[in-house]
Structure formats: structure tokens, C-alpha cells
């Protein structure tokens, strides 16, 4: 099987191959690595890349979401996160501003310095306990604007089993995001 790939140079320190859920292959390397070296690296990992691409081809693909579905999901997510933020915030002793829900490819939620919360409409396709984790995560940013150990300790206080939910999102998330394309 042959495959194409794109070389992406950055300030990173080592070479790595990244395979997107849609089968695109990226070779991420330090600035100094030549095309020839990148090519050799890919060759040395050819079997591994091919195995992954085969697995992607075999996987049944869910259809891309339509505009109407995305609108419906945005409304459903907005309604749910609004209720859950109103539930969790007083327990945690935090406040928040506006809540917006949008289609996003890279994040599940965010919290601005002003306390405005933003959520991904794809959350409509996840179980409620996963949405709750994202809500709690963003509300914890009202106390810690970072992902320090202190931040995660706060999340754990509110949601002792958050790691399980976080893992679910990491494992299932790319599949959901692929439906945006
Ligand atoms: Zn965060």
C-alpha cells in the first residue's frame, strides 16, 4: 500500500508521525531535519503506518453531520450545559458570564478571563456524564486559569472520577470531530 504524507517542521525536538482519524499522515520534525531524513524515518516506520491506515479503512465511517443536525445539537448542548453550569457553579463557589455553544474541531470547551464559557456542539453526541466533566473543567478555570496540578486537584474534588471521563473524551473524541468534515 502506498500513502502520501506531509512534512511539518517546527521547534519540536524529535521526529514523530501523526495519523489523523481521516487517514492523513503528517511527519512532524525539528527545523534541521531534511526531506531526505524525514523520508528515511517514514520508511523505517512504514509497516506501522500501513497497519494504522488499514485499520482506518476498515472502520465504518459515520456520515458527516448536516447543517440542520449541527443546529439541533447546538440547541441541545446549550440547554444542557446551561442547566449543569447553574447546578455546579454554586457548589463550587464560582460565577460565570455568558454561555455560548459552537461547532469546534479542536476543543470541547473554554473559559475566558471574563468568565464566559464556550462549549462544543459535538457534546450533544456524548453521554451526559461526559458533558458534566467538561462543564466542571471549565468552571474550575474560574479558580485556576491553567492546567496545573492545583487545577486538576480542584476538578478531582468536584468530580472524583473525572479521569475516566477525560479518557473517554480523548479516546472517542477524534471520531466525533471527524464527523465535522
Ligand atoms: Zn482546560
Amino acid at each position: 500500500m502506498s500513502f502520501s504524507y506531509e512534512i511539518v517542521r517546527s521547534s519540536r525536538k524529535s521526529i514523530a508521525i501523526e495519523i489523523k482519524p481521516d487517514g492523513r499522515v503528517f511527519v512532524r520534525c525539528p527545523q534541521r531535519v531534511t526531506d531526505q531524513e524525514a523520508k528515511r524515518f517514514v520508511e523505517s516506520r512504514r509497516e506501522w503506518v500501513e497497519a494504522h491506515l488499514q485499520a482506518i479503512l476498515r472502520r465504518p465511517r459515520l456520515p458527516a453531520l448536516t447543517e440542520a443536525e449541527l443546529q439541533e445539537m447546538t440547541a441541545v448542548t446549550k440547554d444542557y450545559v446551561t442547566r449543569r453550569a447553574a447546578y455546579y457553579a454554586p457548589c463550587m463557589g464560582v460565577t460565570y458570564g455568558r454561555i455560548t455553544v459552537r461547532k469546534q474541531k479542536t476543543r470541547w470547551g473554554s473559559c475566558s478571563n471574563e468568565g464566559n464559557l464556550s462549549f462544543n456542539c459535538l457534546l450533544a453526541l456524548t453521554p451526559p456524564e461526559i458533558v458534566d466533566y467538561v462543564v466542571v473543567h471549565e468552571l474550575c478555570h474560574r479558580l485556576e486559569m491553567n492546567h496545573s496540578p492545583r487545577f486538576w486537584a480542584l476538578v478531582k474534588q468536584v468530580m472524583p472520577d473525572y479521569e475516566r471521563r477525560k479518557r473517554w473524551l480523548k479516546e472517542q473524541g477524534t471520531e466525533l470531530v471527524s464527523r465535522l468534515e
Side-chain angles (χ1 to χ4, degrees):
M1 143 187 224
S2 74
F3 57 85
S4 61
Y5 54 88
E6 192 181 320
I7 299 172
V8 184
R9 290 185 179 79
S10 67
S11 58
R12 58 176 298 134
K13 298 250 186 314
S14 58
I15 309 189
I17 297 176
E18 183 193 4
I19 303 173
K20 295 280 185 189
D22 61 7
R24 281 177 301 156
V25 181
F26 293 93
V27 185
R28 306 204 177 274
C29 30
Q31 300 289 358
R32 61 180 161 76
V33 170
T34 65
D35 282 6
Q36 202 52 36
E37 286 168 328
K39 189 174 174 196
R40 271 205 299 276
F41 186 79
V42 173
E43 280 310 318
S44 73
R45 301 284 192 285
R46 174 167 283 277
E47 265 177 46
W48 178 85
V49 174
E50 286 179 353
H52 270 73
L53 292 176
Q54 295 286 4
I56 287 172
L57 284 174
R58 276 196 303 269
R59 197 171 62 204
R61 284 287 301 245
L62 290 165
L65 293 157
T66 64
E67 238 359 272
E69 283 170 329
L70 289 166
Q71 263 177 34
E72 169 81 26
M73 285 161 55
T74 300
V76 168
T77 304
K78 174 105 189 237
D79 178 65
Y80 186 76
V81 297
T82 300
R83 283 185 289 122
R84 299 310 276 165
Y87 167 78
Y88 280 111
C91 311
M92 298 167 57
V94 298
T95 59
Y96 54 92
R98 259 179 303 119
I99 291 182
T100 51
V101 176
R102 294 178 280 137
K103 170 177 96 174
Q104 294 180 82
K105 283 191 179 173
T106 53
R107 355 174 52 164
W108 294 102
S110 62
C111 174
S112 73
N113 286 325
E114 296 75 38
N116 294 321
L117 309 177
S118 164
F119 296 95
N120 193 329
C121 72
L122 288 173
L123 285 170
L125 301 178
T126 72
E129 56 169 20
I130 302 301
V131 192
D132 282 359
Y133 158 68
V134 179
V135 169
V136 167
H137 179 121
E138 299 315 330
L139 286 175
C140 282
H141 280 315
R142 293 292 287 143
L143 301 165
E144 286 287 330
M145 252 320 192
N146 50 52
H147 293 122
S148 62
R150 269 224 314 253
F151 168 81
W152 291 113
L154 281 171
V155 178
K156 192 162 192 156
Q157 232 171 49
V158 185
M159 190 170 268
D161 68 342
Y162 85 90
E163 276 157 329
R164 182 177 64 77
R165 310 187 199 211
K166 184 174 172 231
R167 202 176 327 119
W168 188 98
L169 209 48
K170 196 175 152 89
E171 287 168 1
Q172 313 294 324
T174 36
E175 175 95 37
L176 296 175
V177 172
S178 75
R179 299 194 62 189
L180 287 179
E181 286 157 22

